[in-house]
Amino acid sequence: MTSVLEPATEEVMAELPEVGEAETDAAVERARRAFPSWRAVSPGDRSTLLHGLADALAEHVEELARLEARNAGKPIGDARGEMQMVVETFRYYAGAPERLLGKTIPVEGGVDMTFREPLGVVGLIVPWNFPLVIAAWKVAPALAAGNTLVLKPAELTPLSALELERLALEAGLPKGVLNVVAGSGRVCGQRLVEHPHVAKVAFTGSTAVGRGIAAAAAGTIKRVTLELGGKSANVVFADADLEQAAASAPIAVFGNAGQDCCARSRILVERSVFDRFLFHMEETVHALRVGDPLDEETTMGPLISAAQREAVRSYVPEDAPVAIRGSAPEGPGFWFPPVVLAPVANGDRAAREEIFGPVACVIPFEDEADAVAVANDTVYGLSGSVWTRDGARALRVARAIDAGVVSINSNTSVRVTTPFGGFKQSGVGRELGPDALHAYTEEKNVYYATEPGSGPAAALPSESAAP
Ligand code: TXE
């Protein structure tokens, strides 16, 4: 058996049977057998079934939120918000099967049309920071497009995914359509990536593992979507609403205890307002309530594990330039206080690596060109923000930042209806929004000759020699 811990108490909250390669293969086989009939379900019926699953999830929001809050150590208010997003994601994609449109293309001698075909069995590998939300971003479009799937949750947070599997069956999804393998990444995840009957892998996690997945997927020419790490810049100009920007900046790093790929963990502040900005930030940092995830007043929980806490600690050595330090509980639980480092140079280790904990780096800049250069001086490119009252500059800088999601006068990143994903080493492909659906399909082109013997293909001399 393997134990699932509660990070706020370090106590065991569940014991699960060990699963390995054989169980992964069995799940892929179930998905493979279920695929032809799931693919054949009419778009309207598939839509009804997905709405049914959304209803089932909506009915269980509170218990799912409590489960996630305990298992991932996140404040219950945040967990409720996440479960609402899970429901919203299923509802959004429940509307998709009937909108999976192709094109007709004018060609000579006949009619050319395209279809969006499902891929088959897809493998979905998700992390522990937003366990069910990130699973939903993948599961809902994959099912809507007619695929069957194997979902592998993170070792530390498998419980909500297992609930999803149970609710899907209860909501009437046929057996074998949605399978969960709660095993390790090294064994079960790796097997999904290498499995000859898995057509695609969608992964959210570390850049290092993502790199390995891209390499391993090449063996079977698998389609991959990768959503990886980040080191996003929150650029604050002197003409911004400083109080609002400073009140929001800590939340954009310390939300989910900093374990967020979109964390704006590099706060770039124009030098002329640097000290004032830090002064305003202080109040928000000290207002954070770090504690029991199930307490309604809590705004920041513990880190996910002892190992994560050790990794985070290494970014705050004795001589670190700690400008603000919040408080955290003692005793059992993987606690770490919110810490603001300032001033930090963009070349410092804390500013270059994804810390994935409540550590913010505040970096001064001189002017617009310098701000863009520093913002882009990173291997990552997931998200970012620009704060200014100058609309033209806001758009100029937003366009110049090499990142997939940039907000102006806001630190939000994710909406069910809009695309989300990374530039550079933050990933490949996009999730959410209408186009995510296409990432779970192949485009098929069908030509129907209406004037036999004519048409461009017949005239191509190379056709018989084509591969
Ligand atoms: O992630 P992993 P970890 C970053 C963050 C964090 C670091 C380590 O910086 O500190 O990654 O976290 C599965 N083949 N992010 O170690 O290992 C694994 O079981 C196939 C950013 O938890 O990448 C889990 O389900 N799968 C990130 C998932 O991959 C494998 C979110 C993620 O685990 C595998 C999480 C393998 N060889 C961490 N090895 C984000 N972008 O939000 C592991 N897995």
Side-chain angles (χ1 to χ4, degrees):
M1 298 296 268
T2 77
S3 304
V4 179
L5 292 189
E6 200 170 339
T9 61
E10 302 183 36
E11 279 168 18
V12 174
M13 68 180 284
E15 299 272 8
L16 298 179
E18 298 266 1
V19 296
E21 203 167 300
E23 288 78 6
T24 310
D25 284 354
V28 172
E29 188 51 30
R30 285 196 300 277
R32 201 159 84 97
R33 272 190 266 118
F35 175 61
S37 47
W38 180 243
R39 173 189 208 169
V41 172
S42 75
D45 287 349
R46 207 183 305 144
S47 177
T48 304
L49 282 165
L50 288 175
H51 273 300
L53 177 51
D55 291 342
L57 288 159
E59 273 165 36
H60 293 84
V61 158
E62 187 58 27
E63 57 200 82
L64 286 167
R66 291 183 81 79
L67 188 70
E68 200 85 307
R70 288 180 61 205
N71 191 187
K74 56 180 71 222
I76 183 69
D78 293 358
R80 279 191 200 109
E82 288 177 27
M83 295 311 117
Q84 294 294 355
M85 190 188 204
V86 168
V87 173
E88 208 190 312
T89 306
F90 275 96
R91 287 219 191 288
Y92 180 74
Y93 288 108
E98 290 165 309
R99 294 178 181 80
L100 204 48
L101 306 179
K103 300 182 273 241
T104 55
I105 303 162
V107 291
E108 213 179 309
V111 177
D112 201 285
M113 60 201 120
T114 67
F115 295 86
R116 288 279 170 186
E117 306 287 7
L119 300 169
V121 178
V122 295
L124 312 177
I125 302 175
V126 299
W128 42 259
N129 55 341
F130 298 98
L132 200 58
V133 166
I134 293 177
W137 295 356
K138 296 170 171 43
V139 170
L143 293 179
N147 303 280
T148 55
L149 62 91
V150 179
L151 168 65
K152 198 210 79 61
E155 294 86 329
L156 299 170
T157 54
L159 302 179
S160 54
L162 290 166
E163 275 303 292
L164 174 68
E165 184 183 43
R166 191 182 66 75
L167 289 172
L169 285 174
E170 229 176 78
L173 261 78
K175 272 206 170 101
V177 168
L178 191 167
N179 307 276
V180 174
V181 174
S184 80
R186 212 172 27 80
V187 176
C188 303
Q190 189 72 24
R191 179 64 185 148
L192 282 177
V193 179
E194 289 171 357
H195 202 295
H197 294 144
V198 174
K200 174 194 171 112
V201 167
F203 168 80
T204 300
S206 60
T207 294
V209 171
R211 201 173 282 126
I213 287 180
T220 45
I221 315 290
K222 267 189 189 54
R223 284 82 187 113
V224 283
T225 299
L226 303 174
E227 200 267 277
L228 309 175
K231 193 71 195 178
S232 299
N234 182 3
V235 181
V236 184
F237 286 95
D239 68 351
D241 179 338
L242 277 195
E243 286 187 29
Q244 204 199 335
S248 176
I251 313 298
V253 189
F254 304 140
N256 213 41
Q259 302 165 123
D260 181 349
C261 49
C262 291
R264 271 91 167 141
S265 51
R266 289 185 302 144
I267 305 170
L268 278 47
V269 182
E270 194 160 355
R271 195 179 291 278
S272 59
V273 294
F274 194 82
D275 291 339
R276 248 171 71 207
F277 187 83
L278 272 182
F279 172 78
H280 287 305
M281 262 181 88
E282 193 151 0
E283 195 182 330
T284 316
V285 176
H286 289 306
L288 286 167
R289 290 271 310 258
V290 185
D292 177 6
L294 295 180
D295 182 335
E296 300 284 345
E297 303 296 313
T298 293
T299 50
M300 191 179 120
L303 293 171
I304 191 71
S305 64
Q308 191 67 16
R309 183 170 56 185
E310 279 324 295
V312 172
R313 212 194 297 277
S314 76
Y315 292 92
V316 191
E318 282 293 307
D319 58 351
V322 175
I324 311 169
R325 188 193 296 266
S327 56
E330 301 278 318
F334 308 122
W335 305 102
F336 199 87
V339 172
V340 177
L341 304 178
V344 173
N346 199 51
D348 295 351
R349 177 172 170 249
R352 299 214 74 75
E353 298 175 10
E354 182 178 51
I355 299 176
F356 233 55
V359 181
C361 296
V362 192
I363 303 169
F365 70 84
E366 307 304 332
D367 55 23
E368 185 179 320
D370 187 32
V372 170
V374 175
N376 286 338
D377 180 17
T378 169
V379 297
Y380 296 111
L382 191 55
S383 56
S385 298
V386 188
W387 293 77
T388 173
R389 288 192 172 96
D390 177 339
R393 175 156 68 187
L395 272 179
R396 258 193 327 266
V397 174
R399 296 285 313 274
I401 292 178
D402 296 329
V405 193
V406 182
S407 308
I408 296 169
N409 296 333
S410 156
N411 286 319
T412 56
S413 295
V414 173
R415 286 167 196 82
V416 171
T417 52
T418 60
F420 175 72
F423 280 28
K424 302 196 280 187
Q425 293 187 33
S426 285
V428 176
R430 293 291 177 270
E431 302 199 283
L432 299 174
D435 294 344
L437 208 59
H438 291 175
Y440 291 95
T441 65
E442 289 285 12
E443 189 171 38
K444 180 186 286 171
N445 177 20
V446 174
Y447 173 71
Y448 195 146
T450 53
E451 294 166 41
S454 69
L460 277 181
S462 59
E463 201 191 25
S464 56

